[in-house]
Amino acid sequence: MEAPDSGDQQLRGVAMDEAQLDEFLRERGSGVLSLANENVAYGMPVSFGWDGDNLYFILLQFGEDSEKLDYAATTERATFSTYDFEDEHHWRSVVARGPIEEVSADDTDDVTETMFENAQFASLFPHGEPITDQPRYRLVPEELTGQQGQGYGD
């Protein structure tokens, strides 16, 4: 598949510095977590918390089975992305890659606190199906990159 033709316009982004990355991750609160099982990918919208070093997620389970938890258990290296788009000159995106791990029971209160500081929660609760588990996960970024449109340099 070829990249879309942008005509005569050259698409440009500017790399975010560490402070811009941190600020953007603290204000966003939602994005897409991509997991994998062998060569099958699974991307899901998630709420997230950022403490300046790690990304945190609460992966809710409804009922007996959870595809997302199955994928989390088999993923060695996850990818997380979040973005904001106002117009062609005012946009920002961040991509993080690294190992994902379940957080120990001793640290769940810290994760919950981080989540409530900046996560955006959607009402995704199915009617009649109770939450059966709420494991917390940590993505430790080995790679963390951000780009923004040139309008942010004005």
Side-chain angles (χ1 to χ4, degrees), residues 24-35 43-51 54-60 62 68 79-82 100 111-125 134-139:
F24 184 64
L25 287 171
R26 288 184 192 276
E27 72 184 37
R28 283 305 299 152
S30 64
V32 176
L33 178 62
S34 297
L35 307 173
M44 71 188 110
V46 292
S47 300
F48 74 93
W50 169 250
D51 69 359
N54 299 296
L55 293 158
Y56 294 97
F57 313 96
I58 300 174
L59 302 182
L60 300 177
F62 301 94
K68 66 184 156 212
T79 299
F80 173 78
S81 60
T82 186
I100 189 167
V111 173
T112 301
E113 184 177 320
T114 299
M115 292 288 296
F116 281 100
E117 285 177 7
N118 68 310
Q120 296 175 357
F121 295 100
S123 178
L124 299 174
F125 306 108
Q134 300 179 46
R136 276 78 167 146
Y137 281 82
R138 170 189 303 117
L139 188 152

Side-chain angles (χ1 to χ4, degrees), residues 10-154:
Q10 188 172 9
L11 301 176
R12 296 188 180 168
V14 177
M16 291 178 164
D17 63 28
E18 192 173 315
Q20 292 167 321
L21 279 165
D22 183 71
E23 178 184 355
F24 184 64
L25 287 171
R26 288 184 192 276
E27 72 184 37
R28 283 305 299 152
S30 64
V32 176
L33 178 62
S34 297
L35 307 173
N37 184 353
E38 296 183 13
N39 41 337
V40 177
Y42 182 76
M44 71 188 110
V46 292
S47 300
F48 74 93
W50 169 250
D51 69 359
D53 293 313
N54 299 296
L55 293 158
Y56 294 97
F57 313 96
I58 300 174
L59 302 182
L60 300 177
Q61 179 177 343
F62 301 94
E64 296 300 314
D65 299 315
S66 173
E67 188 173 21
K68 66 184 156 212
L69 293 178
D70 291 344
Y71 273 82
T74 61
T75 300
E76 292 179 28
R77 194 163 188 247
T79 299
F80 173 78
S81 60
T82 186
Y83 71 94
D84 180 37
F85 182 87
E86 294 175 38
D87 61 45
E88 65 184 287
H89 302 291
H90 296 89
W91 55 269
R92 298 175 291 175
S93 67
V94 169
V95 175
R97 290 186 180 91
I100 189 167
E101 59 195 24
E102 190 168 356
V103 175
S104 73
D106 294 339
D107 294 330
T108 59
D109 289 343
D110 292 338
V111 173
T112 301
E113 184 177 320
T114 299
M115 292 288 296
F116 281 100
E117 285 177 7
N118 68 310
Q120 296 175 357
F121 295 100
S123 178
L124 299 174
F125 306 108
H127 296 288
E129 206 170 346
I131 296 173
T132 56
D133 201 1
Q134 300 179 46
R136 276 78 167 146
Y137 281 82
R138 170 189 303 117
L139 188 152
V140 181
E142 294 174 338
E143 295 176 45
L144 184 61
T145 58
Q147 294 281 314
Q148 61 188 10
Q150 292 181 326
Y152 284 100
D154 295 343

